[in-house]
Amino acid sequence: MLRKIVKYGDPVLETVCDPVPESEFGTPELRSLVQDMFETMYRAQGIGLAAPQIGIPRRLTVIDCSGGEGEREQHVLINPEIVFEDGSQVGEEGCLSIPGFRENVKRPATVRTRARTPDGERIEIEAEELLARAICHENDHLNGVLFLDHLSRLKRQIIRRKIRNLRKRGEWD
Ligand code: GNR
Ligand code: NI
């Protein structure tokens, strides 16, 4: 089922999300939520999606950076923690909840994340480049943090003003 992606301005995007409780691992409800998130992400041509972006304040993200060519490379990270970071990379970042805006953001070059799968298995993934960036971006969403929060005050103010104007013209939400 396709879900609606909430846009910047909705308070759910600035909420610290709650962990998925132990009792939900392995349930059909959790499995179908994950499927809905992939469907919604692929339809919107995103490389990641966090549950708060569909209005659900839970610590759950899906990622696929494979770019549509060849094999899909699906990652589901539930209650993730970043346990190691090293180096840095700067690259363009966007967000499905802030459509039309892209800015350079500094992120670690390498990250290691520890998380649970929908079945409750414990996994660890070490990532670099775009996958490392996506993991950081999605992890931020679970803490109510957006890529705008990594920009200079000036850049953030300019984007906020543009969004205010879009909203006035009824072109935002
Ligand atoms: O689709 C997305 N592209 C992207 C590009 C660079 C860094 C992070 C991302 S994630 C974003 C989808 C999204 O908003 N996920 O929360
Ligand atoms: Ni995002």
Side-chain angles (χ1 to χ4, degrees):
M1 185 179 81
L2 199 63
R3 308 282 190 122
K4 189 177 139 78
I5 296 177
V6 304
K7 289 202 189 152
Y8 179 73
D10 189 313
V12 73
L13 293 176
E14 295 178 48
T15 301
V16 177
C17 298
D18 293 320
V20 172
E22 206 57 48
S23 60
E24 290 188 16
F25 289 110
T27 62
E29 289 74 19
L30 184 58
R31 220 172 282 284
S32 87
L33 174 57
V34 167
Q35 283 321 304
D36 288 356
M37 286 176 64
F38 274 118
E39 184 185 346
T40 304
M41 180 192 82
Y42 288 128
R43 184 71 64 94
Q45 300 200 26
I47 61 166
L49 191 72
Q53 292 182 278
I54 57 166
I56 300 175
R58 288 284 178 83
R59 306 187 79 80
L60 164 55
T61 77
V62 299
I63 298 173
D64 184 345
C65 296
S66 64
E69 279 175 39
E71 294 281 287
R72 284 182 166 179
E73 212 172 288
Q74 296 185 322
H75 299 280
V76 182
L77 301 177
I78 304 177
N79 301 343
E81 290 175 80
I82 292 178
V83 295
F84 175 78
E85 302 185 350
D86 191 43
S88 73
Q89 57 165 320
V90 175
E92 270 215 330
E93 214 160 296
C95 182
L96 294 173
S97 296
I98 317 174
F101 297 92
R102 302 183 71 80
E103 292 288 342
N104 279 330
V105 177
K106 187 175 159 193
R107 298 288 192 183
T110 307
V111 301
R112 195 168 179 84
T113 185
R114 197 172 281 165
R116 309 287 294 274
T117 68
D119 288 324
E121 287 174 84
R122 287 167 213 278
I123 51 167
E124 249 184 61
I125 296 172
E126 188 163 292
E128 295 179 308
E129 302 182 338
L130 187 58
L131 182 57
R133 176 172 300 283
I135 287 170
C136 293
H137 178 108
E138 301 315 331
N139 194 65
D140 273 354
H141 274 299
L142 306 183
N143 294 321
V145 174
L146 301 171
F147 82 84
L148 299 184
D149 298 310
H150 294 283
L151 306 180
S152 67
R153 275 170 73 112
L154 180 60
K155 279 191 176 163
R156 189 164 49 246
Q157 282 170 347
I158 290 168
I159 292 174
R160 284 208 184 116
R161 191 178 62 240
K162 287 181 178 168
I163 293 172
R164 248 196 323 276
N165 288 324
L166 287 169
R167 191 177 282 118
K168 274 187 209 152
R169 288 188 254 124
E171 292 167 21
W172 193 250
D173 41 25

